[in-house]
Amino acid sequence: MNVALWIVAGIFATGFIVGGIVKLVSPYGKYAAKAHWPQDFTPGNVKFMGAVELLGGLGLLLPGLLNIAPVLVPVAASGMALYMAGAVTERIRRAEYKELLGDLLFLAGMIFVAWGRFGPFSFN
């Protein structure tokens, strides 16, 4: 199970890190024209979301890999689960049901990592 938790955390951390970098470095107008959902947010909000994703993704991996305060892994997973719950809410509000599936997958992955790392498979 420990291996499964590392795999899930690694895959989703990569997604969060890449998504965060894209939000941080892409010009707002270009990104909003392509993705459409950013039109509901200010450029600063989108940059903030990128920073949250980048830091959350790093928090899923680095504490466990470096064995420095590994309790931060399930904390990061819990925070990213809350973040993805907000994304799910936004998808439902915008009636973007195709994209909703990906957000639900990320939400489930973060719940799985938080459960496993807070519970029976914590770093000891």
Side-chain angles (χ1 to χ4, degrees), residues 13-88:
T14 302
F16 281 127
I17 291 168
V18 170
I21 290 171
V22 168
K23 287 177 185 70
L24 286 170
V25 302
S26 296
Y28 173 79
K30 197 175 194 180
Y31 187 68
K34 188 171 68 170
H36 301 296
W37 66 263
Q39 296 167 358
D40 290 350
F41 299 95
T42 66
N45 287 354
V46 175
K47 298 292 183 194
F48 178 74
M49 289 179 213
V52 167
E53 289 181 19
L54 178 61
L55 293 173
L58 292 173
L60 289 170
L61 293 179
L62 293 181
L65 288 174
L66 301 175
N67 201 25
I68 299 172
V71 72
L72 294 177
V73 172
V75 171
S78 299
M80 295 313 291
L82 290 172
Y83 176 80
M84 292 313 299
V88 166

